Short mmCIF file of all heavy atoms in Angstrom, two decimals:
data_model
loop_
_atom_site.label_atom_id
_atom_site.label_comp_id
_atom_site.label_asym_id
_atom_site.label_seq_id
_atom_site.Cartn_x
_atom_site.Cartn_y
_atom_site.Cartn_z
N ASP A 198 159.64 85.69 44.15
CA ASP A 198 160.70 86.16 45.04
C ASP A 198 160.40 87.51 45.66
O ASP A 198 161.28 88.17 46.21
CB ASP A 198 162.03 86.24 44.26
CG ASP A 198 161.95 87.20 43.08
OD1 ASP A 198 160.82 87.53 42.65
OD2 ASP A 198 163.00 87.63 42.58
N ILE A 390 148.02 121.51 42.26
CA ILE A 390 147.85 122.35 43.44
C ILE A 390 149.17 123.02 43.77
O ILE A 390 150.18 122.35 44.01
CB ILE A 390 147.36 121.51 44.64
CG1 ILE A 390 146.04 120.81 44.29
CG2 ILE A 390 147.19 122.38 45.88
CD1 ILE A 390 145.61 119.77 45.31
N CYS A 431 157.97 128.59 40.11
CA CYS A 431 156.67 127.94 40.13
C CYS A 431 156.35 127.35 38.76
O CYS A 431 155.97 126.18 38.65
CB CYS A 431 155.59 128.95 40.54
SG CYS A 431 153.90 128.32 40.43
N ILE A 673 145.50 153.40 28.70
CA ILE A 673 145.61 152.46 29.82
C ILE A 673 144.26 152.38 30.51
O ILE A 673 143.65 153.41 30.84
CB ILE A 673 146.70 152.90 30.82
CG1 ILE A 673 148.06 152.91 30.13
CG2 ILE A 673 146.74 151.99 32.02
CD1 ILE A 673 148.61 154.26 29.86
N SER A 840 163.60 142.73 55.24
CA SER A 840 162.77 143.51 56.15
C SER A 840 162.49 142.69 57.40
O SER A 840 162.52 141.46 57.37
CB SER A 840 161.46 143.92 55.47
OG SER A 840 160.58 142.82 55.34
N ALA A 873 179.85 150.77 55.51
CA ALA A 873 179.09 152.01 55.52
C ALA A 873 178.49 152.12 56.92
O ALA A 873 178.02 151.12 57.47
CB ALA A 873 177.99 151.99 54.47
N ARG A 927 167.32 188.13 63.07
CA ARG A 927 167.56 187.35 61.85
C ARG A 927 166.69 186.10 61.88
O ARG A 927 166.55 185.47 62.94
CB ARG A 927 169.03 186.97 61.77
CG ARG A 927 169.95 188.19 61.60
CD ARG A 927 171.41 187.82 61.70
NE ARG A 927 171.75 187.29 63.02
CZ ARG A 927 172.99 187.17 63.48
NH1 ARG A 927 174.02 187.54 62.72
NH2 ARG A 927 173.22 186.67 64.68
N THR A 971 170.09 179.82 59.86
CA THR A 971 169.91 181.23 60.24
C THR A 971 170.40 182.10 59.09
O THR A 971 171.55 181.97 58.65
CB THR A 971 170.69 181.56 61.52
OG1 THR A 971 170.24 180.71 62.59
CG2 THR A 971 170.47 183.02 61.92
#
Side-chain angles (χ1 to χ4, degrees):
D198 60 342
I390 302 170
C431 174
I673 298 108
S840 73
R927 295 172 297 195
T971 302

